[in-house]
Amino acid sequence: MPAPAPPTPIGLEDRLLAFAVSLLIGGAAVHAGTHVVADARDYAHAVLTALCGALVWALLEPIPLLGGVLAIVAWVAVLKWRYRLGWPRSAAVGVAAWAAAVVALAALELVGIGSVSALGVPGA
């Protein structure tokens, strides 16, 4: 019996494609969240907001003990800053964006695309 083939390494192109698709999904989720709660701007604005949120999350979440709380507050602060909303509406945008991301990722999973995430939407 022949030995199984070794797994193919993931190349830089594949990683960049996964990053881009994940960022576009995260941007779509933020865009959907702003449509539900606030005056949405264009999709490009939502994608940049998702990227800023992902960076803030990546910097703060690893902090011991309080990292998760600090990261979620900072992520909502990014939404507040980018969309010029108050704290309650920014938090509502965050919840709506999370829900949209979960639905989008579940739909992609159903069609066999399960290797992406929603970059810029925590917990999705």
Side-chain angles (χ1 to χ4, degrees):
M1 175 179 256
T8 57
I10 298 174
L12 179 61
E13 296 87 11
D14 292 336
R15 290 180 187 180
L16 288 175
L17 180 62
F19 172 80
V21 170
S22 295
L23 181 58
L24 293 175
I25 292 170
V30 170
H31 191 61
T34 57
H35 265 296
V36 171
V37 176
D39 293 330
R41 298 195 181 172
D42 61 357
Y43 177 66
H45 187 84
V47 171
L48 186 56
T49 302
L51 182 60
C52 292
L55 290 173
V56 166
W57 185 268
L59 290 173
L60 294 176
E61 201 273 332
I63 296 173
L65 298 176
L66 296 175
V69 172
L70 292 174
I72 198 72
V73 170
W75 182 71
V76 172
V78 167
L79 295 172
K80 180 182 181 307
W81 164 61
R82 296 281 295 158
Y83 286 95
R84 300 179 189 258
L85 301 170
W87 285 102
R89 287 182 71 196
S90 298
V93 167
V95 169
W98 174 83
V102 168
V103 169
L105 292 173
L108 288 172
E109 185 75 35
L110 282 175
V111 297
I113 304 171
S115 61
V116 294
S117 63
L119 187 67
V121 180

